Amino acid sequence: MEYALDRFAREAHEAIAGTGQVPDELIELVVPKPNIPADLAFPAFRAAKELGVAAPQLAQRIASSVRRAAGTLVGDVTAIGPFVNVGVDTVLLADTVLGEIERLGERYGSDEQGNGQTTVIDYSSPNVAKRMHAGHIRTTIIGQSLVNILRFLGYPVIGDNHLGDWGKQFGVILAAVQRYGEPQGEGEELLAGFEEIYTRYNSAMKDDPALDEEARAWSLRLEQGDPQARAIWQRAVDLTLRVNQRMYDRLGVAIDHTYGESFYEPMLAGVIEEALAKGVAYRDEGGAVVVDELEPNLPTFLLQRSDGGTLYMTRDVATIKFRIATFRPARIIYVLGIPQELHLRQLFALCRALGYVEGVDLVHVKFGTIFDQDGQPLSTRRGNMVYLESLLNEAHARARAVVEQASPELPDDEKDAIAEAVGVGAVIYNDLYQDPRRDIRLDWNRMLALEGNSAPYIQYMHARCRSIIRKAADEGYTADGGEASFLTHPSETAMIRQLAKLPVAVREAGERYAPFVVAEWCYDMARALSGFYRDCSVLKAETPALRAARLRLVAATARALRNGLALLGIRAPERM
RNA sequence: GCGGGCGUAGCUCAGUGGAUAGAGCAGCGGUCUUCUAAACCGUUGGCCGGGCGUUCGAGUCGCCCCGCCCGCGCCA
């Protein structure tokens, strides 16, 4: 889709090429830094060198011979030193952008580049029989935002929650249930019970190899369909899904499939056989299936345990094979932590060696680890674990306190709804506002910040727009006759420029698998609005025509902010 | 040892070869009789870890160091 800024870039390029001063292939436009008074720039260095002239001279020649074709978005063209600076025609831009937003509404910023190329995204994937904690929040939130963004870009996206419900890990739970009895209770509390016996057994296992054997044996019984093992397993799976769903609902997360690792059990033997038959793997003296020397610097790994049990790797290979056969994707994305990088490199290499992934892009979207205040890893044993539910509850409570103070007149249920949107939004935003590769040190005040570069700030600016629109309607004002040409104040044109950038930001976020690009756009949009709010009154505009134009601008801003926040999975309340 | 990531203001972070490196938080000083002060304005704060190179131009690319984090066969 060609949005206003795409058109502007094309027309600016054409205008420069039209001077005949520089060959088309040497024209490369860049977006200048904010302190430069231009919307696009052509650094003339390379072209000047190629043409054997001084760069400032070439820039000057281009600027003085450029012709502005009527009806284009190209405004002033000036040379500053070796740069040709191109300004946008702000009036035409305003008219174009407002028109786009009014026409496209909640689709403003979307695109069609996906073109039928299916993308499978593996995200969230918590373990069964455990509560979700701070460690799960990143894959869940980043994953859902990528789903939203890629869908918006027109890719058919299939999300899959690859539940950790199999393998030795669950063998430990089964063995623990045998030893300590199955925990009783309901919901979160019951899950905590499972967790408790799991950690107890796990630490006992450390100095008793017999317990380790037992857990492994139970994982085998589960794989082989032992009815007792399957019954406990089923209860644990159902319970976990039920409890997790509450978290997903609060976070605006909806995952298309929840196959889980167990789903692939019937396919595992075939995968192992195939790897052996193709000579990609071999069985060693101990009986384990080994994959060796697939690629330089790729460490050896196992596809089957020596006792016949399968591994994470086995199930992941089967998962890829299944996904490709079932969904015919052009791409599979894993939203997984950096510590899993080696595993995925091995997995991808193995799938390539097996010939499973012709024409399929395998992508690891990686993120750093969460540590506590002191830089220690979060763990149940350390007692520093932060559970997702209590995190969200705390966020809600803090936001609720602010609503209570700021808007005591609102009805109770609306206060609650606002507190939920704002509190949860703050948590989500905290994970999406930066490049995910960095490790995060847990800091409640930063995580639950309600001011500055935060979701609540953006939500607040949106609510202010909505408030203006409500008040205008009360007074009988409408946007009718609101010509974009009245919007000439610097704060207004700054807003329009920012509005125009949403489609660009969405595309970049998709290309880089980087929701923070959208988050950044939202924040910059909110700041642009606050400048406008300070400088330009809507209801008290000098003329009815100006008021109507500003009403259009404010409505468009609310719409665009809402779209941006939606891509992050953050709600935009009408009032705060 | 091998592999990967990170290093930009006191703290948390943007900056994907171009012009004078930008935000938020914290600090200091101001602004509510005004379309919501979850806001706004002003201000303090930088050998961009270090070195060498490539380039007309390097926070950005390459190489070498330094520091921190992570991973490296029967867990996931």
Side-chain angles (χ1 to χ4, degrees), chain A residues 282-288:
Chain A
Y282 64 91
R283 196 176 290 279
D284 73 7
E285 321 78 57

Side-chain angles (χ1 to χ4, degrees), chain A residues 220-467:
Chain A
L220 268 178
R221 290 178 65 171
L222 179 67
E223 291 191 15
Q224 288 154 3
D226 176 280
Q228 193 193 352
R230 294 293 295 215
I232 298 168
W233 172 84
Q234 191 65 58
R235 283 197 289 276
V237 169
D238 292 345
L239 168 70
T240 310
L241 290 179
R242 221 163 40 237
V243 172
N244 288 353
Q245 192 55 46
R246 290 211 304 264
M247 243 52 69
Y248 289 145
D249 291 344
R250 295 182 74 179
L251 291 168
V253 168
I255 313 178
D256 302 301
H257 300 288
T258 307
Y259 290 110
E261 293 183 45
S262 58
F263 176 78
Y264 302 96
E265 178 59 33
M267 311 168 207
L268 301 180
V271 163
I272 294 166
E273 246 170 70
E274 200 175 340
L276 288 168
K278 287 186 174 168
V280 172
Y282 64 91
R283 196 176 290 279
D284 73 7
E285 321 78 57
V289 175
V290 182
V291 182
D292 216 349
E293 294 181 340
L294 273 183
E295 286 173 8
N297 267 329
L298 192 71
T300 304
F301 58 97
L302 297 183
L303 198 53
Q304 189 178 27
R305 303 196 311 235
S306 48
D307 68 355
T310 57
L311 295 156
Y312 185 42
M313 181 65 74
T314 329
R315 297 185 284 277
D316 266 0
V317 174
T319 302
I320 286 187
K321 195 178 179 189
F322 170 81
R323 284 175 178 160
I324 289 173
T326 309
F327 304 119
R328 302 274 161 209
R331 165 170 67 173
I332 304 175
I333 298 173
Y334 286 81
V335 185
L336 265 181
I338 288 172
Q340 312 245 40
E341 173 157 37
L342 176 59
H343 168 74
L344 286 186
R345 270 178 52 215
Q346 292 170 326
L347 172 66
F348 295 171
L350 177 54
C351 286
R352 277 193 298 270
L354 289 168
Y356 289 170
V357 291
E358 292 299 312
V360 182
D361 231 357
L362 299 173
V363 180
H364 180 195
V365 173
K366 31 186 162 263
F367 52 85
T369 311
I370 299 190
F371 297 97
D372 73 4
Q373 299 86 316
D374 307 316
Q376 298 299 311
L378 299 177
S379 83
T380 314
R381 285 189 71 190
R382 255 194 199 85
N384 62 355
M385 190 52 81
V386 175
Y387 292 97
L388 193 46
E389 181 144 59
S390 48
L391 178 63
L392 297 182
N393 289 346
E394 174 71 17
H396 179 110
R398 289 189 187 206
R400 173 73 200 224
V402 178
V403 183
E404 207 63 65
Q405 203 191 347
S407 307
E409 75 286 355
L410 294 177
D412 240 36
D413 55 343
E414 187 174 352
K415 281 182 193 161
D416 258 337
I418 292 168
E420 180 72 5
V422 168
V424 173
V427 172
I428 293 175
Y429 190 84
N430 182 255
D431 225 306
L432 293 182
Y433 86 104
Q434 66 179 73
D435 191 302
R437 275 186 302 244
R438 291 170 184 269
D439 291 341
I440 287 184
R441 200 176 272 224
L442 217 50
D443 175 343
W444 285 77
N445 286 330
R446 183 167 12 104
M447 197 153 42
L448 305 178
L450 303 176
E451 52 195 36
N453 187 357
S454 67
Y457 174 79
I458 299 164
Q459 290 169 316
Y460 182 60
M461 288 302 153
H462 168 268
R464 280 183 149 180
C465 290
R466 300 302 306 167
S467 166

